[in-house]
């Protein structure tokens, strides 16, 4: 019996020890930066290239970004702070409204010698990131927000009625006393309620994060993030009056916020791309790290999507004149909404936004020897071949006999929900497509969809 118990104990230890604790790359430099708003912010950074700031959420700290940081550091400078009151940052008595925390983040960025950056955020980090972008709109090149509401921004009031967000109103001295010594039980309730995979976060990760919040003052400071929501809502109502015009990618877990994340952000931004991580709940870095990292990298490496320009004093609105040499294609493939999703296709948005309602125009550069399976788009589209010879046909499956060769200057249509297929020959093809969004792409045979995780193009 004793030997059996020892065997069970050893198995349990081996199982836990085989799980890797979340941790940023060991090569990252660390320092603590004093914010003029009265907090000392612990930050780690590493890599080289365009600067990306990663803002974590509640029930986690900056180590939650481990998979993304390890990937981005190859060609980006990655800055990863602990938010005020969390992790190894100080835990002041106040200043947990997100407008103040945005100023903390600005102190971090400038103290490290940077100015304009990309910002990627999750959960509570979304709220700080939005306040940051609204306060310093010319200092953000692009914004990624993942799976969380924005206080005061529709449908905020409906979200507050959901019993699942009970923890938004659980704070104060009595809450601190109830949770003291039981931090893991408290966080388990939150992790379990919002995961799409009961095994994620894993045991080692849960113990790690719970221990960081169990530090003196940790739960009080964590609760203060929620206690500030009423002030955040007031601040955000003011911010909302001036819409963000920077590119925004809004990512939701399929079993959590899903497409609602993009709906929320379209209230505060004019240029929003929505994405849904299939099979995932709220904890995207733990549940679907590889897919989520790929989404973020695709956004960061892609072109800055054009957005409508406000009318000028002389009455000219949305005026644009481009010669062929002025089309700014990205250096790598970035198939987006309105394209077939094939990885090698390079896309530039010339007008509007195919993710939103309204007229848009996109230009696609399709590589040589590319075959695109039968698919459709929900909006009515017309297209012109700019260069190369484009072979396109209509039908529910690829059929070479139905292809028609369209040389430069040719015109064709893509009626709504009409299945079509295409291919290129020995030369790349550039096509210009105009439709009325929001657009979409649906493959007849889902197994041929190149956007599916693990699908090779």
């Amino acid at each position: 019996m004793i030997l059996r118990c020892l065997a069970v104990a050893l198995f349990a230890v081996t199982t836990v020890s085989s799980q890797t604790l979340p941790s940023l790359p060991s090569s990252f430099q660390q320092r603590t930066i004093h914010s003029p708003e009265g907090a000392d912010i612990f930050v780690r950074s590493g890599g080289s290239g365009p600067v990306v700031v990663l803002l974590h959420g509640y029930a986690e700290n900056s180590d939650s970004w481990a998979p993304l940081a390890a990937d981005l550091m190859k060609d980006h400078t990655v800055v990863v702070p602990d938010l005020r009151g969390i992790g190894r940052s100080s835990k002041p008595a106040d200043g947990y409204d997100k407008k103040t925390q945005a100023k903390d983040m600005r102190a971090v960025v400038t103290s490290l010698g940077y100015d304009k950056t990309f910002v990627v955020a999750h959960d509570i980090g979304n709220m700080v990131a939005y306040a940051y972008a609204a306060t310093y709109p010319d200092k953000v090149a692009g914004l990624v927000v993942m799976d969380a509401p924005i206080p005061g921004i529709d449908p905020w009031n409906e979200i507050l009625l959901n019993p699942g967000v009970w923890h938004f109103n659980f704070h104060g001295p009595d809450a601190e006393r109830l949770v003291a010594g039981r931090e893991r039980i408290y966080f388990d309730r939150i992790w379990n309620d919002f995961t799409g995979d009961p095994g994620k976060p894993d045991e080692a990760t849960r113990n790690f994060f719970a221990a960081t919040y169990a530090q003196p003052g940790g739960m009080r400071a964590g609760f203060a993030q929620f206690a500030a929501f009423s002030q955040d809502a007031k601040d955000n109502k003011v911010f909302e009056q001036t819409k963000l015009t920077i590119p925004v990618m809004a990512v939701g877990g399929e079993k959590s916020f899903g497409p609602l994340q993009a709906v929320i952000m379209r209230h505060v931004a004019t240029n929003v791309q929505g994405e849904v991580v299939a099979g995932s709940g709220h904890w995207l870095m733990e549940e679907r790290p590889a897919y989520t990292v790929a989404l973020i990298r695709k956004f960061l490496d892609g072109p800055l999507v054009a957005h409508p320009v406000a009318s000028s004093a002389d009455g000219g609105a949305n005026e644009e004149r481009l010669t062929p040499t002025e089309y700014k294609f990205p250096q790598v493939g970035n198939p987006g909404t309105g394209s077939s999703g094939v990885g090698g296709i390079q896309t530039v948005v010339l007008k509007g936004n195919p993710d939103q309602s309204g007229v848009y125009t996109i230009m696609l550069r399709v590589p040589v020897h590319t075959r695109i399976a039968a698919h459709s788009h929900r909006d009515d589209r017309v297209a012109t071949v700019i260069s190369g010879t484009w072979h396109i046909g209509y039908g529910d499956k690829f059929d070479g006999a139905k292809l028609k060769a369209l040389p430069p200057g040719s015109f064709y249509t893509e009626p709504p929900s009409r299945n079509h297929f295409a291919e290129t020959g020995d030369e790349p093809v550039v096509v210009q497509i105009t439709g009325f969004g929001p657009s979409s792409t649906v493959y007849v045979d889902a197994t041929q969809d190149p956007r599916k995780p693990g699908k090779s193009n």
Side-chain angles (χ1 to χ4, degrees), residues 255-294:
K255 298 181 180 180
S256 186
F257 271 71
L260 179 60
Q261 191 66 59
V263 172
I264 293 169
M265 294 309 296
R266 287 182 181 127
H267 287 291
V268 300
T270 63
N271 190 0
V272 179
Q273 169 189 338
E275 297 286 353
V276 176
V277 179
S280 183
H282 177 68
W283 314 104
L284 298 166
M285 280 293 114
E286 289 79 21
E287 297 181 61
R288 294 293 307 280
Y291 186 82
T292 306
V293 167

Side-chain angles (χ1 to χ4, degrees), residues 52 94 123 208 255 456:
V52 185
D94 51 23
D123 190 77
F208 172 72
K255 298 181 180 180
S456 60

Side-chain angles (χ1 to χ4, degrees), residues 170-429:
F170 185 78
H171 47 76
D174 288 337
E176 293 173 40
R177 292 171 55 214
L178 284 168
V179 174
R182 306 178 184 89
E183 292 84 4
R184 173 61 196 271
I185 298 172
Y186 163 81
F187 283 116
D188 271 342
R189 174 70 185 274
I190 295 173
W191 287 320
N192 292 340
D193 282 353
F194 296 103
T195 188
D197 178 350
K200 300 293 176 65
D202 62 31
E203 280 293 305
T205 299
R206 292 181 184 219
N207 285 333
F208 172 72
F209 286 135
T212 66
Y213 283 84
Q215 298 171 11
M219 292 306 300
R220 171 192 57 77
F223 290 155
Q225 299 283 353
F226 302 111
F229 279 179
S230 59
Q231 181 60 49
D232 296 335
K234 295 175 184 176
D235 292 336
N236 291 337
K237 283 296 185 184
V238 176
F239 288 146
E240 186 183 14
Q241 295 174 22
T242 303
K243 300 291 190 288
L244 300 179
T245 57
I246 57 173
V248 176
M249 182 168 74
V251 182
E254 180 189 21
K255 298 181 180 180
S256 186
F257 271 71
L260 179 60
Q261 191 66 59
V263 172
I264 293 169
M265 294 309 296
R266 287 182 181 127
H267 287 291
V268 300
T270 63
N271 190 0
V272 179
Q273 169 189 338
E275 297 286 353
V276 176
V277 179
S280 183
H282 177 68
W283 314 104
L284 298 166
M285 280 293 114
E286 289 79 21
E287 297 181 61
R288 294 293 307 280
Y291 186 82
T292 306
V293 167
L295 269 184
I296 295 170
R297 175 168 280 284
K298 177 180 168 183
F299 175 81
L300 296 178
D301 292 345
L304 298 183
V305 178
H307 56 267
V309 180
S311 298
S312 62
D314 63 4
N318 298 313
E319 292 178 348
E320 195 77 63
R321 294 180 293 181
L322 297 174
T323 65
T325 60
E326 293 175 309
Y327 298 138
K328 297 187 182 300
F329 285 101
Q331 296 301 306
V332 296
N334 64 323
T337 303
S339 78
S340 60
V342 173
I345 293 178
Q346 297 162 275
T347 305
V348 59
V349 178
L350 300 178
K351 178 180 175 62
N353 186 338
D355 284 303
Q356 298 181 5
S357 177
V359 176
Y360 67 88
T361 299
I362 58 177
M363 186 171 283
L364 311 179
R365 179 185 285 161
V366 187
V368 300
H369 305 302
T370 297
R371 175 171 291 188
I372 302 173
H375 64 283
S376 66
H377 311 281
R378 65 181 178 182
D379 56 320
D380 197 2
R381 295 150 48 110
V382 296
T384 301
V385 180
I386 304 299
S387 65
T389 300
W390 187 228
H391 302 264
I392 186 168
Y394 301 100
D396 296 338
K397 64 179 181 178
F398 189 95
D399 184 347
K402 293 183 179 179
L403 292 172
K404 181 174 182 176
L406 300 179
S410 300
F411 169 86
Y412 66 97
T413 63
E414 295 179 357
S417 301
R418 179 72 167 97
N419 292 321
H420 55 280
F421 46 87
E423 72 174 4
T424 58
D426 295 331
E427 57 183 343
V429 173

Side-chain angles (χ1 to χ4, degrees), residues 74-92:
K74 301 169 188 174
D75 49 15
H76 290 76
T77 298
V78 187
V79 177
V80 198
D82 278 336
L83 295 179
R84 165 186 298 241
I86 297 177
R88 284 185 269 181
S89 288
S90 67
K91 301 167 176 58

Side-chain angles (χ1 to χ4, degrees), residues 62-81:
S62 56
D63 284 300
S64 64
W65 291 116
L68 181 61
D71 183 89
L72 290 183
M73 69 176 291
K74 301 169 188 174
D75 49 15
H76 290 76
T77 298
V78 187
V79 177
V80 198

